[in-house]
Amino acid sequence: IIMIRLAKKFPKINFIIKCKLGQKIPRNLENQFKKIKNINLIKHGLGNDLIEKSQIILGLNSAATIEALLAKKLLMVPFFGIKGKIVKDYLYKYPKENIFLNYSKFEKTLNNNLNKGFIIKKNFNTNQKKTINKYLGDYINAKKNLRNFFL
């Protein structure tokens, strides 16, 4: 319920919650979201436009999270409550600086970033670049590689 608490604390900031296709939201939670004017719950459709419009992306095991890194957005991945074997076997391998294993640290970091206001895009570091390459391929040389593929 971090989003509800922070949306109330920062009424001038829009919070967009984009669900994965087929994801069920408990009715009581959906009703709470509807009561808060600066929370917009989106249940279907693509999220790529939302990434470009956003400054902070929260997500887990979605192509959108890797796209957020590529777009140089602040990515925060909540891993709290997830058992170690699941992380190792099934989840994307995110850079450590983007992973939050602790609920209170996640909320504190998100709160601090919201307090800053506008977040300046930063170049991705080596770990983030490795993650992007692992899941999206060599995006820098993609055009050249594609041309060589067809020759």
Side-chain angles (χ1 to χ4, degrees):
I1 313 296
I2 293 172
M3 295 297 108
I4 292 172
R5 190 168 36 253
L6 291 175
K8 288 178 179 179
K9 182 176 179 181
F10 298 97
K12 293 183 179 182
I13 294 176
N14 292 320
F15 290 77
I16 301 169
I17 299 172
K18 167 73 173 77
C19 303
K20 287 188 176 189
L21 185 63
Q23 183 178 1
K24 301 287 183 194
I25 303 292
R27 186 158 309 278
N28 64 337
L29 186 58
E30 189 173 339
N31 289 337
Q32 288 181 56
F33 289 155
K34 287 179 182 177
K35 292 177 186 176
I36 303 169
K37 291 181 181 179
N38 59 330
I39 290 183
N40 182 10
L41 179 64
I42 301 173
K43 295 182 180 180
H44 47 76
L46 299 174
N48 52 338
D49 288 342
L50 299 174
I51 292 170
E52 191 55 39
K53 294 176 186 175
S54 301
Q55 292 186 46
I56 303 173
I57 309 293
L58 313 176
L60 177 66
N61 227 41
S62 166
T65 57
I66 308 303
E67 291 170 18
L69 286 176
L70 187 60
K72 301 177 184 175
K73 302 294 182 167
L74 174 59
L75 173 66
M76 296 177 64
V77 181
F79 267 22
F80 33 85
I82 299 175
K83 305 227 183 281
K85 181 152 176 56
I86 293 173
V87 171
K88 183 179 177 201
D89 294 344
Y90 301 106
L91 299 180
Y92 288 168
K93 310 299 186 248
Y94 294 101
K96 288 182 181 180
E97 59 269 21
N98 297 102
I99 297 173
F100 291 82
L101 301 172
N102 179 289
Y103 184 92
S104 59
K105 184 177 180 188
F106 178 81
E107 183 172 10
K108 182 180 178 183
T109 302
L110 183 54
N111 182 67
N112 289 343
N113 280 298
L114 292 171
N115 267 323
K116 289 179 188 175
F118 186 78
I119 297 168
I120 298 170
K121 289 184 179 184
K122 296 180 181 177
N123 289 332
F124 22 79
N125 62 34
T126 303
N127 292 332
Q128 292 168 330
K129 197 177 282 190
K130 285 180 186 176
T131 300
I132 291 166
N133 283 337
K134 178 180 175 101
Y135 295 106
L136 297 181
D138 182 2
Y139 63 94
I140 292 172
N141 294 311
K143 188 175 180 180
K144 180 180 82 177
N145 292 344
L146 187 60
R147 190 173 344 138
N148 290 339
F149 176 76
F150 286 115
L151 293 178

